[in-house]
Amino acid sequence: MNAEYSPLLMEWLKREVTPALGCTEPVAVAFAAACAASYLPSSCESIRGFISANLYKNAMGVTIPGTSVSGVALAAAIGALGGDAQKGLQTLQGISGAVVGQAQELVAAGAVAIEARDTADFIHIDLTLQAGEHCCRVVVIGAHTRVVGLYVDGAPVTIPQAGDGDQQRELAGFTVGEAFRFISQIPAAEIAFMLEAARLNMALSAEGRQRKYGLNINGTLAAAVESGMMSNDLMSAIIINTVAASDARMGGAAVPAMSNFGSGNQGITATIPVVTVARHLNVDDDTLARALALSHLVAISIHARYTRLSALCAASTAAMGAAAGMAWLFSRDLKAVNSAIINMVSDVSGIICDGASNSCAMKVSSTVSSAFKAVLMALQQSQASANDGIVGEDVEQTIDNLCRLVVRPMAHTDKEIITIMASK
């Protein structure tokens, strides 16, 4: 194992693969409000401030976890009245119906005013909570729970090291090949913690199959299998298992997901297809841990090359991680892994993110279907070439080409998407 990369990739995994309850954008708003509320001597009476337009896009329509309601103002009010900032991305764990009712009353009274602003950082939250004569302002920038400013009654206070607050240091990027070597050579016991991703996300999938959440896309597909309109095969199992977790997560299930790069949907997409294939192949836990580590690392490697929030549906890049993990399970071959990723870039390089909502599960179904198709092609040594669209000479150039589109021209697409959503 190359010592230069082993600690780095392990740090990436431990930083970016973390439990999260519900869609992380409304949770980020709730976290900021809960953090500020913890410094007030009495219950919050009003909330004022702004959040970045990108964060607003992903927080405005999705169901707040543990509730049946949605909205940025309600996310802030629920966080302020009942959230626990010490739980980071699980701030809203255990929220009661009574708290939701109180939050609705606060919003209905006009005591919560949060606007969307164009900001330099895609994740930017600036909220001030008032209780009597006292107030607390909290500023979150760069990551969903990274507090960079905290002021009580106008005076700055020491920032607590909660959530991502201790993760200010930038980490160097890495290649797919480096991720492959890492998972191939590291002792399995050192990445056994990746099995928790399988446990959490498969439990969320089970929840989504047991109850109807959101658009219940997994139920639609399962009914199609039962009626013979779809085949009862491995691809169907991959899609249904993965979409069930996304249905539940976007529909407000009070069950945590193991996230990837700050997103539960990305964590779900990077995890469940790999677990489903691993069970099909009946591999042991050590093998599953390696496959999951590769999937999550590839997803991280790709997403680290563009902004955390963007016009690109990041489930597509997380599914590229899943394609890598599945290809490895079938072949143990780096060439097959690279080919699967290249095939996916050629197939689903332009799915837009039009905000977090129940329809995200539809995009998840499309991306994991593409991932398995890309793996099947790779196993037959069929790969899109540099003559095909944005595909480059190798996997790294192909990924860079995709991310170039996200960072440059799709930045304008993102602004137009936000304009359309805000005008509805």
Side-chain angles (χ1 to χ4, degrees):
M1 164 72 33
N2 188 330
E4 180 182 354
Y5 294 110
S6 176
L8 170 66
L9 272 63
M10 184 67 80
E11 188 171 354
W12 270 115
L13 282 176
K14 291 186 175 180
R15 174 184 292 195
E16 299 295 349
V17 183
T18 57
L21 179 64
C23 180
T24 48
E25 277 69 54
V27 169
V29 176
F31 164 83
C35 181
S38 67
Y39 289 86
L40 296 176
S42 57
S43 183
C44 172
E45 298 172 4
S46 70
I47 305 172
R48 299 287 184 271
F50 68 89
I51 64 176
S52 58
N54 283 83
L55 198 70
Y56 198 93
K57 177 182 77 171
N58 280 345
M60 62 185 290
V62 68
T63 305
I64 298 166
T67 79
S68 60
V69 300
S70 61
V72 172
L74 273 174
I78 292 171
L81 297 174
D84 182 355
Q86 292 300 315
K87 294 180 179 178
L89 289 176
Q90 299 189 77
T91 287
L92 297 181
Q93 187 177 63
I95 288 295
S96 68
V99 168
V100 175
Q102 293 167 9
Q104 290 174 313
E105 291 176 4
L106 197 65
V107 172
V112 184
I114 302 172
E115 63 180 28
R117 291 187 188 175
D118 284 329
T119 58
D121 290 278
F122 288 90
I123 297 177
H124 190 138
I125 304 170
D126 191 324
L127 300 181
T128 298
L129 276 62
Q130 191 86 27
E133 297 180 353
H134 299 281
C135 67
C136 180
R137 176 189 174 206
V138 64
V139 181
V140 173
I141 294 178
H144 293 79
T145 56
R146 181 177 292 162
V147 178
V148 299
L150 187 61
Y151 310 87
V152 176
D153 294 331
V157 299
T158 301
I159 298 172
Q161 297 300 300
D164 295 322
D166 60 346
Q167 298 182 357
Q168 301 286 357
R169 186 171 70 87
E170 292 297 323
L171 296 180
F174 57 93
T175 67
V176 173
E178 289 163 358
F180 183 92
R181 289 190 292 275
F182 174 81
I183 68 99
S184 300
Q185 299 174 17
I186 191 170
E190 294 188 28
I191 51 173
F193 64 88
M194 292 301 303
L195 296 174
E196 183 67 1
R199 188 188 72 79
L200 284 182
N201 289 338
M202 291 305 289
L204 186 58
S205 177
E207 174 70 13
R209 292 193 301 275
Q210 290 167 6
R211 296 178 55 191
K212 291 184 178 180
Y213 288 96
L215 297 178
N216 191 36
I217 298 163
N218 82 93
T220 298
L221 299 177
V225 169
E226 187 174 348
S227 68
M229 295 177 68
M230 285 176 56
S231 298
N232 185 15
D233 55 19
L234 181 55
M235 175 177 273
S236 292
I238 289 168
I239 297 171
I240 291 170
N241 288 347
T242 310
V243 172
S246 184
D247 276 330
R249 177 178 178 269
M250 307 314 288
V255 180
M258 186 65 83
S259 68
N260 180 289
F261 222 80
S263 165
N265 261 345
Q266 291 172 55
I268 288 166
T269 304
T271 301
I272 295 180
V274 176
V275 175
T276 304
V277 169
R279 289 180 175 178
H280 173 78
L281 296 174
N282 196 31
V283 303
D284 59 25
D285 282 350
D286 287 357
T287 303
L288 174 58
R290 293 185 192 279
L292 287 171
L294 179 62
S295 176
H296 279 267
L297 282 171
V298 169
I300 291 167
S301 174
I302 298 171
H303 203 150
R305 306 183 203 196
Y306 66 94
T307 53
R308 281 188 179 265
L309 300 179
S310 71
L312 179 70
C313 173
S316 64
T317 54
M320 292 170 194
M326 289 188 288
W328 182 85
L329 281 170
F330 281 118
S331 70
R332 308 296 197 275
D333 179 44
L334 178 58
K335 184 177 179 181
V337 168
N338 289 343
S339 291
I341 296 168
I342 289 170
N343 288 337
M344 269 208 72
V345 173
S346 183
D347 186 25
V348 291
S349 56
I351 298 180
I352 64 166
C353 171
D354 55 351
S357 67
N358 291 325
S359 66
C360 286
M362 295 177 67
K363 295 182 176 68
V364 168
S365 70
S366 298
T367 59
V368 297
S369 173
S370 172
F372 192 63
K373 177 175 61 179
V375 170
L376 294 178
M377 291 174 61
L379 295 176
Q380 294 296 322
Q381 299 183 348
S382 177
Q383 175 189 306
S385 74
N387 294 323
D388 299 312
I390 65 169
V391 173
E393 293 294 335
D394 57 29
V395 68
E396 293 301 317
Q397 187 180 86
T398 301
I399 293 170
D400 287 342
N401 289 346
L402 171 64
C403 296
R404 176 181 173 185
L405 290 178
V406 181
V407 173
R408 296 180 183 178
M410 288 188 79
H412 300 286
T413 302
D414 197 40
K415 291 182 182 298
E416 195 62 30
I417 291 170
I418 293 168
T419 300
I420 291 170
M421 294 178 65
S423 65
K424 291 193 296 181

